[in-house]
mmCIF file of all heavy atoms in Angstrom:
data_model
loop_
_atom_site.group_PDB
_atom_site.id
_atom_site.type_symbol
_atom_site.label_atom_id
_atom_site.label_comp_id
_atom_site.label_asym_id
_atom_site.label_seq_id
_atom_site.Cartn_x
_atom_site.Cartn_y
_atom_site.Cartn_z
ATOM 1 N N GLY A 728 205.499 84.759 72.445
ATOM 2 C CA GLY A 728 204.264 85.061 71.701
ATOM 3 C C GLY A 728 204.286 84.672 70.246
ATOM 4 O O GLY A 728 203.318 84.944 69.518
ATOM 5 N N CYS A 729 205.362 84.011 69.801
ATOM 6 C CA CYS A 729 205.439 83.671 68.354
ATOM 7 C C CYS A 729 204.674 82.388 68.019
ATOM 8 O O CYS A 729 204.505 82.077 66.845
ATOM 9 C CB CYS A 729 206.888 83.542 67.914
ATOM 10 S SG CYS A 729 207.734 82.087 68.530
ATOM 11 N N GLY A 730 204.237 81.631 69.026
ATOM 12 C CA GLY A 730 203.469 80.418 68.768
ATOM 13 C C GLY A 730 204.181 79.114 69.104
ATOM 14 O O GLY A 730 203.659 78.027 68.819
ATOM 15 N N LYS A 731 205.353 79.216 69.731
ATOM 16 C CA LYS A 731 206.149 77.996 70.028
ATOM 17 C C LYS A 731 205.383 77.055 70.971
ATOM 18 O O LYS A 731 205.209 75.864 70.685
ATOM 19 C CB LYS A 731 207.486 78.362 70.681
ATOM 20 C CG LYS A 731 208.339 79.351 69.904
ATOM 21 C CD LYS A 731 209.708 79.542 70.531
ATOM 22 C CE LYS A 731 209.690 80.055 71.956
ATOM 23 N NZ LYS A 731 209.174 81.434 72.103
ATOM 24 N N SER A 732 204.955 77.585 72.107
ATOM 25 C CA SER A 732 204.284 76.751 73.107
ATOM 26 C C SER A 732 202.932 76.269 72.624
ATOM 27 O O SER A 732 202.517 75.135 72.907
ATOM 28 C CB SER A 732 204.133 77.512 74.425
ATOM 29 O OG SER A 732 205.391 77.763 74.997
ATOM 30 N N VAL A 733 202.204 77.117 71.881
ATOM 31 C CA VAL A 733 200.903 76.702 71.330
ATOM 32 C C VAL A 733 201.090 75.536 70.366
ATOM 33 O O VAL A 733 200.282 74.597 70.329
ATOM 34 C CB VAL A 733 200.197 77.872 70.638
ATOM 35 C CG1 VAL A 733 198.911 77.416 69.944
ATOM 36 C CG2 VAL A 733 199.858 78.971 71.658
ATOM 37 N N THR A 734 202.173 75.557 69.604
ATOM 38 C CA THR A 734 202.489 74.433 68.693
ATOM 39 C C THR A 734 202.666 73.143 69.491
ATOM 40 O O THR A 734 202.097 72.102 69.110
ATOM 41 C CB THR A 734 203.773 74.742 67.890
ATOM 42 O OG1 THR A 734 203.575 75.915 67.105
ATOM 43 C CG2 THR A 734 204.133 73.583 66.983
ATOM 44 N N SER A 735 203.427 73.218 70.580
ATOM 45 C CA SER A 735 203.675 71.987 71.369
ATOM 46 C C SER A 735 202.386 71.497 72.029
ATOM 47 O O SER A 735 202.125 70.285 72.055
ATOM 48 C CB SER A 735 204.750 72.262 72.440
ATOM 49 O OG SER A 735 204.296 73.200 73.389
ATOM 50 N N LEU A 736 201.566 72.390 72.550
ATOM 51 C CA LEU A 736 200.314 71.988 73.170
ATOM 52 C C LEU A 736 199.337 71.428 72.133
ATOM 53 O O LEU A 736 198.556 70.520 72.435
ATOM 54 C CB LEU A 736 199.681 73.171 73.901
ATOM 55 C CG LEU A 736 200.434 73.672 75.147
ATOM 56 C CD1 LEU A 736 199.834 74.975 75.649
ATOM 57 C CD2 LEU A 736 200.443 72.624 76.258
ATOM 58 N N SER A 737 199.428 71.935 70.911
ATOM 59 C CA SER A 737 198.579 71.418 69.838
ATOM 60 C C SER A 737 198.925 69.967 69.503
ATOM 61 O O SER A 737 198.039 69.144 69.241
ATOM 62 C CB SER A 737 198.718 72.279 68.577
ATOM 63 O OG SER A 737 198.314 73.607 68.812
ATOM 64 N N ILE A 738 200.233 69.640 69.520
ATOM 65 C CA ILE A 738 200.660 68.273 69.224
ATOM 66 C C ILE A 738 200.008 67.291 70.214
ATOM 67 O O ILE A 738 199.592 66.192 69.821
ATOM 68 C CB ILE A 738 202.190 68.172 69.284
ATOM 69 C CG1 ILE A 738 202.824 68.945 68.112
ATOM 70 C CG2 ILE A 738 202.664 66.706 69.243
ATOM 71 C CD1 ILE A 738 204.329 69.115 68.202
ATOM 72 N N LEU A 739 199.930 67.683 71.467
ATOM 73 C CA LEU A 739 199.329 66.815 72.486
ATOM 74 C C LEU A 739 197.829 67.021 72.655
ATOM 75 O O LEU A 739 197.211 66.429 73.516
ATOM 76 C CB LEU A 739 200.028 67.063 73.834
ATOM 77 C CG LEU A 739 201.443 66.522 73.935
ATOM 78 C CD1 LEU A 739 202.141 67.006 75.210
ATOM 79 C CD2 LEU A 739 201.454 64.994 73.908
ATOM 80 N N ARG A 740 197.268 67.897 71.823
ATOM 81 C CA ARG A 740 195.840 68.238 71.876
ATOM 82 C C ARG A 740 195.442 68.718 73.271
ATOM 83 O O ARG A 740 194.425 68.303 73.836
ATOM 84 C CB ARG A 740 194.991 67.054 71.412
ATOM 85 C CG ARG A 740 195.109 66.815 69.917
ATOM 86 C CD ARG A 740 194.366 65.577 69.466
ATOM 87 N NE ARG A 740 192.932 65.656 69.730
ATOM 88 C CZ ARG A 740 192.090 64.660 69.514
ATOM 89 N NH1 ARG A 740 192.542 63.500 68.995
ATOM 90 N NH2 ARG A 740 190.816 64.787 69.789
ATOM 91 N N LEU A 741 196.240 69.627 73.787
ATOM 92 C CA LEU A 741 195.994 70.223 75.111
ATOM 93 C C LEU A 741 195.524 71.683 75.006
ATOM 94 O O LEU A 741 195.537 72.405 76.005
ATOM 95 C CB LEU A 741 197.259 70.141 75.967
ATOM 96 C CG LEU A 741 197.663 68.749 76.453
ATOM 97 C CD1 LEU A 741 199.014 68.778 77.158
ATOM 98 C CD2 LEU A 741 196.597 68.156 77.385
ATOM 99 N N ILE A 742 195.139 72.107 73.825
ATOM 100 C CA ILE A 742 194.631 73.472 73.649
ATOM 101 C C ILE A 742 193.245 73.569 74.306
ATOM 102 O O ILE A 742 192.347 72.783 73.993
ATOM 103 C CB ILE A 742 194.528 73.838 72.155
ATOM 104 C CG1 ILE A 742 195.910 73.784 71.488
ATOM 105 C CG2 ILE A 742 193.877 75.194 71.963
ATOM 106 C CD1 ILE A 742 196.890 74.795 71.996
ATOM 107 N N PRO A 743 193.078 74.510 75.249
ATOM 108 C CA PRO A 743 191.759 74.643 75.896
ATOM 109 C C PRO A 743 190.700 75.097 74.912
ATOM 110 O O PRO A 743 190.887 76.065 74.181
ATOM 111 C CB PRO A 743 192.002 75.698 76.984
ATOM 112 C CG PRO A 743 193.201 76.454 76.543
ATOM 113 C CD PRO A 743 194.054 75.490 75.765
ATOM 114 N N ASN A 744 189.573 74.374 74.888
ATOM 115 C CA ASN A 744 188.497 74.684 73.937
ATOM 116 C C ASN A 744 187.167 74.794 74.682
ATOM 117 O O ASN A 744 186.670 73.800 75.194
ATOM 118 C CB ASN A 744 188.421 73.575 72.897
ATOM 119 C CG ASN A 744 187.389 73.859 71.818
ATOM 120 O OD1 ASN A 744 186.830 74.948 71.743
ATOM 121 N ND2 ASN A 744 187.115 72.870 70.960
ATOM 122 N N PRO A 745 186.561 76.004 74.736
ATOM 123 C CA PRO A 745 187.065 77.277 74.224
ATOM 124 C C PRO A 745 188.163 77.822 75.143
ATOM 125 O O PRO A 745 188.338 77.297 76.230
ATOM 126 C CB PRO A 745 185.799 78.168 74.240
ATOM 127 C CG PRO A 745 184.970 77.609 75.347
ATOM 128 C CD PRO A 745 185.235 76.139 75.368
ATOM 129 N N PRO A 746 188.923 78.851 74.669
ATOM 130 C CA PRO A 746 188.735 79.673 73.479
ATOM 131 C C PRO A 746 189.499 79.170 72.254
ATOM 132 O O PRO A 746 189.368 79.735 71.186
ATOM 133 C CB PRO A 746 189.292 81.013 73.929
ATOM 134 C CG PRO A 746 190.424 80.652 74.842
ATOM 135 C CD PRO A 746 189.971 79.406 75.553
ATOM 136 N N GLY A 747 190.327 78.110 72.422
ATOM 137 C CA GLY A 747 191.179 77.680 71.314
ATOM 138 C C GLY A 747 190.669 76.435 70.619
ATOM 139 O O GLY A 747 189.863 75.696 71.179
ATOM 140 N N LYS A 748 191.157 76.214 69.414
ATOM 141 C CA LYS A 748 190.872 74.964 68.707
ATOM 142 C C LYS A 748 191.895 74.772 67.589
ATOM 143 O O LYS A 748 192.428 75.756 67.059
ATOM 144 C CB LYS A 748 189.459 74.951 68.130
ATOM 145 C CG LYS A 748 189.222 75.974 67.019
ATOM 146 C CD LYS A 748 187.827 75.814 66.422
ATOM 147 C CE LYS A 748 187.603 76.830 65.298
ATOM 148 N NZ LYS A 748 186.294 76.664 64.659
ATOM 149 N N ILE A 749 192.160 73.518 67.288
ATOM 150 C CA ILE A 749 193.017 73.213 66.135
ATOM 151 C C ILE A 749 192.093 73.201 64.910
ATOM 152 O O ILE A 749 191.203 72.367 64.805
ATOM 153 C CB ILE A 749 193.710 71.864 66.307
ATOM 154 C CG1 ILE A 749 194.641 71.896 67.535
ATOM 155 C CG2 ILE A 749 194.520 71.506 65.055
ATOM 156 C CD1 ILE A 749 195.189 70.558 67.930
ATOM 157 N N SER A 750 192.280 74.163 64.028
ATOM 158 C CA SER A 750 191.318 74.369 62.940
ATOM 159 C C SER A 750 191.817 73.889 61.580
ATOM 160 O O SER A 750 191.119 74.031 60.578
ATOM 161 C CB SER A 750 190.892 75.842 62.872
ATOM 162 O OG SER A 750 192.013 76.688 62.862
ATOM 163 N N GLY A 751 193.040 73.352 61.530
ATOM 164 C CA GLY A 751 193.528 72.875 60.241
ATOM 165 C C GLY A 751 194.837 72.106 60.365
ATOM 166 O O GLY A 751 195.545 72.252 61.362
ATOM 167 N N GLY A 752 195.125 71.292 59.353
ATOM 168 C CA GLY A 752 196.394 70.587 59.302
ATOM 169 C C GLY A 752 196.345 69.160 59.803
ATOM 170 O O GLY A 752 195.280 68.627 60.124
ATOM 171 N N GLU A 753 197.522 68.551 59.883
ATOM 172 C CA GLU A 753 197.654 67.173 60.346
ATOM 173 C C GLU A 753 198.837 67.081 61.312
ATOM 174 O O GLU A 753 199.827 67.805 61.171
ATOM 175 C CB GLU A 753 197.930 66.219 59.161
ATOM 176 C CG GLU A 753 196.828 66.103 58.148
ATOM 177 C CD GLU A 753 197.235 65.175 57.009
ATOM 178 O OE1 GLU A 753 198.157 65.528 56.267
ATOM 179 O OE2 GLU A 753 196.609 64.093 56.863
ATOM 180 N N ILE A 754 198.726 66.179 62.273
ATOM 181 C CA ILE A 754 199.828 65.850 63.178
ATOM 182 C C ILE A 754 200.025 64.348 63.089
ATOM 183 O O ILE A 754 199.241 63.572 63.672
ATOM 184 C CB ILE A 754 199.547 66.299 64.627
ATOM 185 C CG1 ILE A 754 199.269 67.805 64.668
ATOM 186 C CG2 ILE A 754 200.704 65.928 65.544
ATOM 187 C CD1 ILE A 754 198.728 68.283 65.996
ATOM 188 N N LEU A 755 201.011 63.927 62.322
ATOM 189 C CA LEU A 755 201.216 62.504 62.020
ATOM 190 C C LEU A 755 202.251 61.910 62.964
ATOM 191 O O LEU A 755 203.423 62.293 62.956
ATOM 192 C CB LEU A 755 201.652 62.325 60.580
ATOM 193 C CG LEU A 755 200.704 62.884 59.506
ATOM 194 C CD1 LEU A 755 201.319 62.747 58.129
ATOM 195 C CD2 LEU A 755 199.344 62.188 59.571
ATOM 196 N N TYR A 756 201.823 60.973 63.779
ATOM 197 C CA TYR A 756 202.721 60.242 64.678
ATOM 198 C C TYR A 756 202.804 58.796 64.207
ATOM 199 O O TYR A 756 201.797 58.092 64.197
ATOM 200 C CB TYR A 756 202.213 60.310 66.123
ATOM 201 C CG TYR A 756 202.969 59.407 67.074
ATOM 202 C CD1 TYR A 756 204.321 59.613 67.358
ATOM 203 C CD2 TYR A 756 202.318 58.325 67.685
ATOM 204 C CE1 TYR A 756 204.996 58.776 68.214
ATOM 205 C CE2 TYR A 756 203.002 57.492 68.541
ATOM 206 C CZ TYR A 756 204.333 57.714 68.794
ATOM 207 O OH TYR A 756 205.026 56.872 69.643
ATOM 208 N N LYS A 757 203.985 58.413 63.747
ATOM 209 C CA LYS A 757 204.181 57.085 63.164
ATOM 210 C C LYS A 757 203.133 56.823 62.081
ATOM 211 O O LYS A 757 202.565 55.729 61.975
ATOM 212 C CB LYS A 757 204.136 56.011 64.252
ATOM 213 C CG LYS A 757 205.275 56.119 65.262
ATOM 214 C CD LYS A 757 205.235 55.023 66.305
ATOM 215 C CE LYS A 757 206.428 55.106 67.247
ATOM 216 N NZ LYS A 757 206.422 54.068 68.308
ATOM 217 N N GLY A 758 202.865 57.876 61.291
ATOM 218 C CA GLY A 758 201.941 57.769 60.165
ATOM 219 C C GLY A 758 200.476 57.918 60.505
ATOM 220 O O GLY A 758 199.626 57.907 59.616
ATOM 221 N N LYS A 759 200.145 58.048 61.796
ATOM 222 C CA LYS A 759 198.746 58.146 62.227
ATOM 223 C C LYS A 759 198.434 59.600 62.599
ATOM 224 O O LYS A 759 199.172 60.217 63.359
ATOM 225 C CB LYS A 759 198.556 57.204 63.428
ATOM 226 C CG LYS A 759 197.176 57.157 63.990
ATOM 227 C CD LYS A 759 196.997 55.950 64.931
ATOM 228 C CE LYS A 759 198.139 55.794 65.901
ATOM 229 N NZ LYS A 759 197.944 54.636 66.827
ATOM 230 N N ASN A 760 197.319 60.138 62.084
ATOM 231 C CA ASN A 760 196.941 61.532 62.365
ATOM 232 C C ASN A 760 196.314 61.628 63.749
ATOM 233 O O ASN A 760 195.206 61.120 63.985
ATOM 234 C CB ASN A 760 195.972 62.045 61.294
ATOM 235 C CG ASN A 760 195.699 63.534 61.442
ATOM 236 O OD1 ASN A 760 196.282 64.207 62.301
ATOM 237 N ND2 ASN A 760 194.798 64.055 60.613
ATOM 238 N N LEU A 761 197.008 62.284 64.654
ATOM 239 C CA LEU A 761 196.531 62.386 66.044
ATOM 240 C C LEU A 761 195.225 63.163 66.134
ATOM 241 O O LEU A 761 194.453 62.984 67.076
ATOM 242 C CB LEU A 761 197.595 63.086 66.923
ATOM 243 C CG LEU A 761 198.938 62.345 67.060
ATOM 244 C CD1 LEU A 761 199.853 63.128 68.009
ATOM 245 C CD2 LEU A 761 198.757 60.921 67.580
ATOM 246 N N LEU A 762 194.978 64.048 65.157
ATOM 247 C CA LEU A 762 193.763 64.860 65.214
ATOM 248 C C LEU A 762 192.509 64.050 64.903
ATOM 249 O O LEU A 762 191.397 64.505 65.180
ATOM 250 C CB LEU A 762 193.884 66.043 64.229
ATOM 251 C CG LEU A 762 195.048 66.997 64.483
ATOM 252 C CD1 LEU A 762 195.011 68.125 63.457
ATOM 253 C CD2 LEU A 762 195.013 67.551 65.898
#
């Protein structure tokens, strides 16, 4: 429940929306923002 798995799913943009969403930050892969 500390957020480990949610972090990993966020990297792949697999967070179910709704109820979840990536609401801030950047995920840079080889310099490109995946978001």
Side-chain angles (χ1 to χ4, degrees):
C729 72
K731 306 186 300 293
S732 294
V733 174
T734 299
S735 66
L736 293 171
S737 298
I738 291 170
L739 288 170
R740 289 175 60 185
L741 289 174
I742 298 296
N744 184 8
K748 66 175 181 177
I749 298 170
S750 50
E753 295 178 295
I754 301 169
L755 302 175
Y756 170 65
K757 296 182 176 178
K759 181 166 46 179
N760 188 4
L761 298 182
L762 300 181

